[in-house]
Every structure is written in C-alpha cells, then in structure tokens.
Amino acid sequence: MSGEQIVREEQIDREALLRGLPLFDGLSDDRLAALASVAWVSTVPAGAAIIEEGDEVLDDEEGLFLLVAGTVEVRKGATDTSDGRLLRTLRPGEFFGEMALIDAHPRSASVFATTEVQYLAISRWDFHRRLRSDPDIALRIMATLAERLRSRDEDEDEGA
Ligand code: CMP
C-alpha cells in the first residue's frame, strides 16, 4: 500500500485499507468485510496523543490501531513528542496498541502522531474475536511482539 495520501473519512473504503495491511494478508473477502464493518477510521493532526501511557482500555473503545498514513512515535514517560524516551517510530502498514489488549494491563507507552495521521481502529472485543477465529493473525501479532522485544533487548545492550 502507498499509505501516502490522506482522504476524507466518508470517502474511505475501509475494506480496501484493511486489505493493504500485512497483518490481514490472505484474509477472505467475507472476513475483511466483517472487520471493515467494525473498524473506525480517524485522522489526527501532528502532535496528537493517540494513546496515553497508563490508560485503561475499555472493551468497546479504540483498542488496536492500524496505521494507514503518516508516522507515529512510541514514547515512554512522555507528555509530548519532545519528551520521554523514544522506543520506536512506526510507519504505514504497522499496528500498535496490541499489548494492553493482550495482557489487559494499562497502556505500556504513549503513541504520538509526528505528522498528520490516518488510522483504522478496532475494539478489544472485536480484536479478541478476530484472534479466536484467525490463528494466522494471532501468529503475526506474536511475531511482531517478539520482534519488538528483540529490538528492545538490543537497545538495552547498546545502553539506550
Ligand atoms: P499498548 O501497551 O497497548 O499501548 C502502547 C503501544 O506502544 C503498545 O501497546 C505497543 O503497540 C507499542 N509499543 C510499546 N513498546 C514498544 C516497543 N518497545 N516497540 C514498539 N512498539 C511498542
């Protein structure tokens, strides 16, 4: 997916956006349509806090975020984009917000838009339902978690 262009929310084909995300590669049309029907699409300006560290996640609010356009920074101990410790910059096609949905703890870090950002979001409830019916998606989420853990370990080895 190009992930470069931001269009008005009412013009957006959520199914097409979901189809462009590596997380949902190979998902059938029916399943993509079902997921699209429960996905929010939002656009936020540069500097917006999309996730705030320490927040609890309710079952029916935005839970998992799928980045469609723009970039975000994951920061620990931060109140804005110039504050705290930068853990990772995420780009279109990547997702965030999975950790609190999996372990039911508060948000582990804050996520800030560093440009105008467009994302799709699904609730914890729908995320869990998806994971139960699609083991391939669960495996991809686990692979991403493992990759994030390895990269944290490398940062620590380097004294970041
Ligand atoms: P969650 O804890 O729900 O909310 C903050 C999100 O930031 C978290 O889920 C992950 O998606 C992301 N995140 C936290 N730590 C890291 C990390 N070390 N590398 C990449 N992403 C992270």
Side-chain angles (χ1 to χ4, degrees):
M1 67 186 288
S2 79
E4 295 303 326
Q5 218 181 350
I6 294 186
V7 290
R8 296 225 321 265
E9 280 162 30
E10 62 271 26
Q11 300 171 320
I12 291 167
D13 179 348
R14 283 172 295 175
E15 213 175 309
L17 291 181
L18 286 166
R19 196 183 302 286
L21 297 168
L23 183 58
F24 302 124
D25 261 0
L27 205 63
S28 71
D29 288 351
D30 284 358
R31 290 193 160 170
L32 268 180
L35 202 53
S37 71
V38 296
W40 288 268
V41 60
S42 296
T43 305
V44 296
I50 302 172
I51 287 182
E52 291 190 36
E53 184 175 344
D55 275 1
E56 302 281 345
V57 187
L58 303 177
D59 258 352
D60 58 353
E61 64 182 21
E62 292 179 329
L64 180 74
F65 296 81
L66 306 145
L67 192 52
V68 171
T71 56
V72 300
E73 283 183 355
V74 180
R75 288 184 169 268
K76 193 103 182 153
T79 51
D80 62 42
T81 45
S82 61
D83 193 22
R85 185 158 43 96
L86 175 65
L87 297 179
R88 182 66 86 92
T89 300
L90 300 175
R91 303 201 152 72
E94 298 191 281
F95 62 84
F96 54 95
E98 75 292 353
M99 290 185 190
L101 302 193
I102 291 168
D103 68 8
H105 285 289
R107 295 296 193 184
S108 62
S110 295
V111 180
F112 298 100
T114 46
T115 62
E116 186 177 28
V117 158
Q118 188 163 66
Y119 64 79
L120 287 159
I122 56 177
S123 70
R124 185 213 304 262
W125 195 83
D126 286 308
F127 175 68
H128 281 191
R129 214 159 54 130
R130 211 53 296 138
L131 290 191
R132 288 199 181 91
S133 56
D134 280 301
D136 281 352
I137 294 180
L139 277 171
R140 284 175 196 155
I141 300 257
M142 286 164 67
T144 300
L145 279 169
E147 188 277 321
R148 288 178 181 173
L149 185 59
R150 279 178 198 273
S151 122
R152 276 302 300 141
D153 289 348
E154 279 162 24
D155 287 350
E156 272 170 22
D157 287 347
E158 286 160 20

